[in-house]
DNA sequence: TTGTACGCGTTATCAT
DNA sequence: ATGATAACGCGTACAA
């Protein structure tokens, strides 16, 4: 009995599919298929007796409706597609979790696609998504190629973009202004007497947008052009340590650092401690994301908090409204952000 | 022009659906619908001329096949459902990311469902999943109610369980032994001279399984029964700090702690430092998960590493094989784990 | 209150 | 090498 012998599926699994249909239930209950359908979708004007009969038949057969047939007939798939760069990385997680839950509560399911980093893969993904005829698409943290955006738009499927307040949304948008984040953090630091600002960021678009307004605002406030260092995404703790070392070597008078993620900020805090640099005394540190450990660090991390779950819940609301053709209160939902002031700055 | 006026969908979005069908393409190309279908699925014995004609028509119409119709006709949905307790929390993320990617490479899409913590919700989720007629289901870190397992099994849909090496798998299983983890960590600590072991864990089944073998092995090695503290999932850094404080208050002679996640371990390290406790001198700390920051901590965290992406990739392989009715090398894939020894123990 | 006919978009099967 | 026909499971529109 070699362990490596091939293993067939269990005998009780006949095939990938459920065989009970409306017709089977109807036959068992002694009614027409249509009546069974009505029991499921509009039981109000059926006799109590037939409803009971049919319910019993459904129960005993274990019938579950086939949503492919439903979708084909009604052109409503009750499926929403979510596109994000990658599932790895904690930033969008809360949003996707809340989105999934919000959709489930409204009777919709979520299909996920990772656009990844190749645009060939992205093209395939778009085709796969369109072929499913989802009732809506939620884009999260994705900047598509123009061609991709064109195809998505041409499909006629409602689209909600999230996490970004771009100047020209495709349709609905749920997010916050990264420009405002950069500006406010710069004001915050300068307001607390910092003079030599720096930024350590990941090389993604959103981080870059925060950087430009951070820099612009710093100049406007008269503390000169900040220094910036970018690391390739996903930015991790180790990058923070390393980058701080390099940055301080070149700019030892830096007195404030804005990190584009709390993970980077944690690395900065650890490296600062290793070098005996006083935080916030000599160096102020501000993170981004308010991850669950940030309040517990020593010193506790001052950071920018964004309500990820709220974005997901709002996105669920918006995309379902669009799917049903219902009007929306507004096109742009700005969920804002807050600077959570703790000990590190 | 009130800002709060309701906003209708853009005019160019007529409805949720794509209107081009096989028939339209066929008409444009001057062939039958069947021929178009063949161009897409079996172009080998068609004349080069018709293939070219049809390809052109597909291109110019932007035709994308409707997978609901495909699924209905062929009873293959090319959809895989994944069930996990919650998307929030970094543990299963790598697995789900690799699963999504592995499925996409094989021409399958992933639908996600969160079983959450209520069994009513779980029941609804199971119905929703079955109604989609997925070609397979991947269960991750979920222990279903008996009723739920029964319904899933009765659906006849292939199932792959992951992250767990349970004694009685439904069918295929990809994971590792949590018992072995508990045993090996205990041996590791005792082998390095530790005498008073403790464990801080989340109150989930897997963590509990690690605990029992951790305790059993410790007793067998002659260091007596370890102390345990459990916190409600999801276990976070703050829980680690707090729990260490309480634990040391009652058991000041504890000299080794096994944490059920690296997040908890980070909390323990921070609290230890705050209390001036030498790690690993007076207290050895071992984590679980090898999160991306763990190697960068000070002291670097000794932890148990599990290859999450490999579990996802293997799960993709297994579920697709089962979906296609192909034999599998074995029913149980043990991906194992390693204790990554760093400075903290 | 319940049933019949038809069509959603695709592919298996048989025919040419 | 290509076409005609039927069927997948369900819901709309009508009829009874």
């Amino acid at each position: 009995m070699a362990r490596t012998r091939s293993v067939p599926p269990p005998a009780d699994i006949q095939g990938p599919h459920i065989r009970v249909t409306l017709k089977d239930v109807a036959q068992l209950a002694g009614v027409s298929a249509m009546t069974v359908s009505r029991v499921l979708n509009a039981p109000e004007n059926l006799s109590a007796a037939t409803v009971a009969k049919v319910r019993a038949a459904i129960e005993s057969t274990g019938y579950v409706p086939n949503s492919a047939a439903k979708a084909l007939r009604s052109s409503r798939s009750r499926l929403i597609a979510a596109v994000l760069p990658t599932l790895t990385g904690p930033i969008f997680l809360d949003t996707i979790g809340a989105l999934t839950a919000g959709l489930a509560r409204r009777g919709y399911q979520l299909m996920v696609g990772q656009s990844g980093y190749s645009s060939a893969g992205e093209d395939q993904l778009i085709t796969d998504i369109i072929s499913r005829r989802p009732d809506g698409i939620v884009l999260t943290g994705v900047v598509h190629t123009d061609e991709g955006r064109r195809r998505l738009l041409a499909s006629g499927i409602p689209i909600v973009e999230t996490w970004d307040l771009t100047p020209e949304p495709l349709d609905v948008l749920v997010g916050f202004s990264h420009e405002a984040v950069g500006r406010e953090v710069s004001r915050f630091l300068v307001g607390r007497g910092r003079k030599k600002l720096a930024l350590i960021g990941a090389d993604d678009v959103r981080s870059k947008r925060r950087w430009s307004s951070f820099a612009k605002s710093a100049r406007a406030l008269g503390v000169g052009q900040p220094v910036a260092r970018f690391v390739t995404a996903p930015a991790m703790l180790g990058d923070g340590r390393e980058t701080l070392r390099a940055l301080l070597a070149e700019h030892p008078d830096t007195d404030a650092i804005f990190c584009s993620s709390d993970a980077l900020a944690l690395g900065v805090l650890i490296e600062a401690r290793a070098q005996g640099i006083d935080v916030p005394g000599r160096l102020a540190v501000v993170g981004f994301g308010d991850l669950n450990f940030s309040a517990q660090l020593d010193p506790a991390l001052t950071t920018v908090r964004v309500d990820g779950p709220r974005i997901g819940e709002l996105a669920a609301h918006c995309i379902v409204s669009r799917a049903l053709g219902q009007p929306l209160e507004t096109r742009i939902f700005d969920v804002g952000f807050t600077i959570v002031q703790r000990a590190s700055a």
Side-chain angles (χ1 to χ4, degrees), chain A:
Chain A
M1 272 282 233
R3 285 283 181 94
T4 51
R5 266 263 274 293
S6 78
V7 177
D12 53 338
I13 295 184
Q14 318 89 339
H17 308 293
I18 289 89
R19 315 220 151 277
V20 185
T21 73
L22 266 190
K23 219 183 283 183
D24 300 318
V25 177
Q27 200 159 2
L28 182 64
V31 298
S32 77
M34 207 40 235
T35 301
V36 179
S37 173
R38 280 193 267 252
V39 168
L40 261 29
N41 302 309
E44 43 270 12
N45 31 358
L46 290 183
S47 85
T50 36
V51 171
K53 261 194 314 193
V54 171
R55 287 255 160 80
I58 289 177
E59 186 69 25
S60 83
T61 52
Y63 170 72
V64 177
N66 180 329
S67 37
K70 253 185 156 103
L72 187 56
R73 177 64 239 226
S74 65
S75 9
R76 303 197 152 283
S77 60
R78 290 196 156 262
L79 193 67
I80 302 291
V83 181
L84 56 170
T86 160
L87 246 3
T88 311
I91 309 115
F92 300 134
L93 248 288
D94 285 344
T95 298
I96 299 296
L99 177 62
T100 307
L103 290 177
R105 221 175 320 113
R106 294 171 171 84
Y108 285 72
Q109 267 80 60
L110 185 74
M111 171 195 144
V112 293
Q114 300 178 115
S115 61
Y117 300 105
S118 92
S119 59
E122 181 179 290
D123 215 63
Q124 181 58 53
L125 176 61
I126 291 176
T127 302
D128 289 344
I129 288 176
I130 293 180
S131 83
R132 294 273 170 207
R133 305 294 192 269
D135 292 344
I137 300 176
V138 176
L139 263 26
T140 294
V142 194
V143 174
H144 277 280
T145 59
D146 286 348
E147 170 65 6
R149 293 174 80 91
R150 201 190 57 71
R151 288 187 57 205
L152 245 21
L153 212 45
S155 75
I157 302 171
I159 295 179
V160 170
E161 296 167 281
T162 68
W163 269 87
D164 230 332
L165 239 46
T166 56
E168 298 184 1
L170 293 175
D171 179 16
V172 183
L173 200 124
V174 181
F176 59 94
S177 165
H178 293 265
E179 276 79 10
V181 169
R183 190 182 62 234
E184 292 306 320
V185 170
S186 145
R187 281 189 189 159
F188 173 85
L189 289 171
V190 173
R192 298 178 69 76
R194 303 293 166 165
K195 307 281 183 201
K196 292 289 184 179
L197 309 192
L199 176 144
I200 300 181
D203 61 349
D204 71 88
V205 258
R206 283 169 301 286
S207 170
K208 290 280 174 66
R209 296 236 306 282
R210 295 195 291 270
W211 157 245
S212 27
S213 70
F214 180 73
K216 184 176 162 196
S217 164
R219 290 194 307 267
L221 293 167
V223 298
Q225 172 74 6
V227 179
R229 289 287 182 282
F230 292 96
V231 305
T232 57
M236 300 189 315
L237 192 155
D239 300 312
R241 291 195 69 161
E242 207 171 298
T243 310
L244 178 67
R245 217 176 302 136
L247 193 144
L248 287 184
E250 280 188 59
H251 303 274
D253 55 346
T254 299
D255 63 5
I257 299 205
F258 178 27
C259 299
S260 83
S261 80
D262 280 11
L264 280 174
L266 174 54
V268 165
L269 289 184
I270 290 176
E271 180 64 22
R273 181 192 291 270
Q275 294 194 19
I277 296 171
D278 178 36
V279 174
R282 193 181 125 196
L283 188 68
V285 179
V286 176
F288 182 84
D290 196 21
L291 298 187
N292 57 29
F293 59 75
S294 304
Q296 308 293 334
L297 298 177
D298 183 26
L301 185 64
T302 293
T303 188
V304 177
R305 176 191 293 159
V306 174
D307 194 342
R310 183 163 148 71
I311 294 181
E313 171 56 37
L314 266 175
H317 165 71
C318 291
I319 199 64
V320 168
S321 293
R322 274 294 189 251
L324 298 175
Q326 294 166 354
L328 232 39
E329 305 81 40
T330 169
R331 267 190 138 62
I332 298 188
F333 293 78
D334 187 344
V335 302
F337 59 89
T338 50
I339 297 180
V340 183
Q341 191 185 339
R342 300 204 182 98
S344 73

